[in-house]
């Protein structure tokens, strides 16, 4: 499954609100997934995970809302310092997350490409977050994260677990950035490549 994730793992006092726009997301392998976020039809492909105590129409709109901003129609995603975990029984970090509903699209030895456009509108220094996660019950756990003042591509079952690359949310703030991940799930010849605005920033085997 492809998960687009924002979560707060820094102390709450570091953050009042984080706001991100996403205008398109695609998981390409016979067009497994293709959403433009121009209306709420994206909910056919994604479930929403956010603070469990705000699961009302108003709470949903507070965290996920299709808006016209930064020159495009996009899905605005917010996370707040007061947010709780997505379930009352969960010990995980608070998040505002799109979780892909279909979980059977990724097959072993298949070659895939996932891409999305993202615009960071509000960000507070010192805040750690994940902007994408790819995993399944028997698949590698792959993260794109910002932590310790560095971007990290994290792949638990790759030959290189953590790959660091240049850039920062502060540099990207207010700009549309295209992220693209190419990968093959395989025991012997698997690979993982990450591109930011068309520039390859990480290339991992395994």
């Amino acid at each position: 499954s492809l998960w687009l994730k924002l979560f707060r793992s820094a102390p709450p006092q570091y953050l009042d609100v984080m706001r991100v726009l996403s205008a398109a997301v695609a998981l390409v392998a016979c067009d497994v997934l293709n959403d433009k976020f121009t209306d709420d039809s994206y909910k056919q492909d994604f479930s929403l995970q956010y603070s469990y105590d705000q699961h009302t129409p108003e709470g949903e709109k507070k965290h996920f809302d299709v808006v016209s901003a930064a020159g495009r129609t996009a899905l605005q995603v917010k996370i707040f310092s007061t947010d709780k975990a997505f379930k009352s029984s969960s010990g995980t970090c608070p998040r505002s997350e799109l979780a892909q509903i279909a979980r059977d699209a990724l097959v072993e030895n298949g070659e895939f490409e996932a891409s999305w456009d993202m615009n960071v509108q509000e960000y507070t220094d010192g805040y750690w977050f994940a902007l994408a996660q790819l995993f399944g019950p028997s698949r590698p756990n792959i993260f794109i994260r910002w932590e310790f003042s560095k971007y990290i591509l994290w792949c638990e079952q790759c030959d290189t677990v953590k790959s660091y690359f240049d850039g920062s949310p502060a540099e990207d703030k207010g700009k549309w950035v295209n992220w693209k991940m190419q990968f093959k799930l395989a025991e012997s010849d698997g690979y993982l490549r990450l591109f930011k605005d068309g520039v390859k920033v990480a290339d991992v085997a395994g």
Side-chain angles (χ1 to χ4, degrees):
S1 63
L2 174 68
W3 292 39
L4 302 183
K5 173 177 288 193
L6 296 171
F7 67 87
R8 169 169 53 77
S9 52
Q13 64 266 25
Y14 286 177
L15 175 72
D16 291 324
V17 60
M18 182 170 182
R19 180 162 55 105
V20 173
L21 302 174
S22 185
V25 61
L27 177 58
V28 180
C30 302
D31 290 326
V32 172
L33 186 68
N34 190 359
D35 281 287
K36 300 297 184 185
F37 299 125
T38 55
D39 54 36
D40 65 0
S41 60
Y42 71 90
K43 295 178 185 178
Q44 298 172 18
D45 294 317
F46 294 101
S47 63
L48 306 181
Q49 297 186 357
Y50 57 104
S51 190
Y52 74 84
D53 62 338
Q54 298 187 49
H55 285 187
T56 63
E58 295 77 15
E60 178 182 312
K61 189 176 180 64
K62 176 181 174 182
H63 290 80
F64 304 92
D65 194 17
V66 175
V67 300
S68 294
R72 302 171 72 172
T73 300
L75 178 64
Q76 180 175 262
V77 181
K78 294 182 179 181
I79 185 168
F80 300 86
S81 60
T82 53
D83 281 353
K84 304 182 186 305
F86 75 105
K87 294 190 297 185
S88 59
S89 58
S90 174
T92 60
C93 294
R95 66 190 68 191
S96 292
E97 179 174 319
L98 302 180
Q100 188 181 337
I101 295 171
R103 301 293 178 85
D104 57 355
L106 302 183
V107 295
E108 193 166 346
N109 296 312
E111 296 187 79
F112 297 88
E113 179 178 288
S115 64
W116 62 99
D117 294 339
M118 180 171 144
N119 187 318
V120 176
Q121 294 283 291
E122 294 181 60
Y123 168 75
T124 303
D125 229 7
Y127 174 64
W128 300 358
F129 65 95
L131 59 95
Q133 184 181 16
L134 178 73
F135 77 102
S138 60
R139 305 298 180 193
N141 188 14
I142 298 169
F143 262 121
I144 305 173
R145 301 174 66 127
W146 171 259
E147 60 185 30
F148 299 111
S149 299
K150 295 178 180 178
Y151 273 128
I152 304 172
L153 177 63
W154 181 10
C155 178
E156 288 185 349
Q157 295 183 30
C158 291
D159 292 346
T160 301
V161 175
K162 291 185 178 182
S163 300
Y164 299 90
F165 56 97
D166 293 336
S168 72
E171 293 175 12
D172 296 337
K173 187 177 177 180
K175 304 173 184 175
W176 282 108
V177 175
N178 175 258
W179 295 89
K180 181 168 65 177
M181 190 189 302
Q182 297 173 340
F183 57 96
K184 180 179 181 179
L185 303 177
E187 292 290 339
S188 60
D189 61 346
Y191 61 81
L192 173 62
R193 303 171 189 138
L194 180 65
F195 299 80
K196 184 183 180 188
D197 279 338
V199 177
K200 184 162 62 176
V201 295
D203 191 342
V204 183

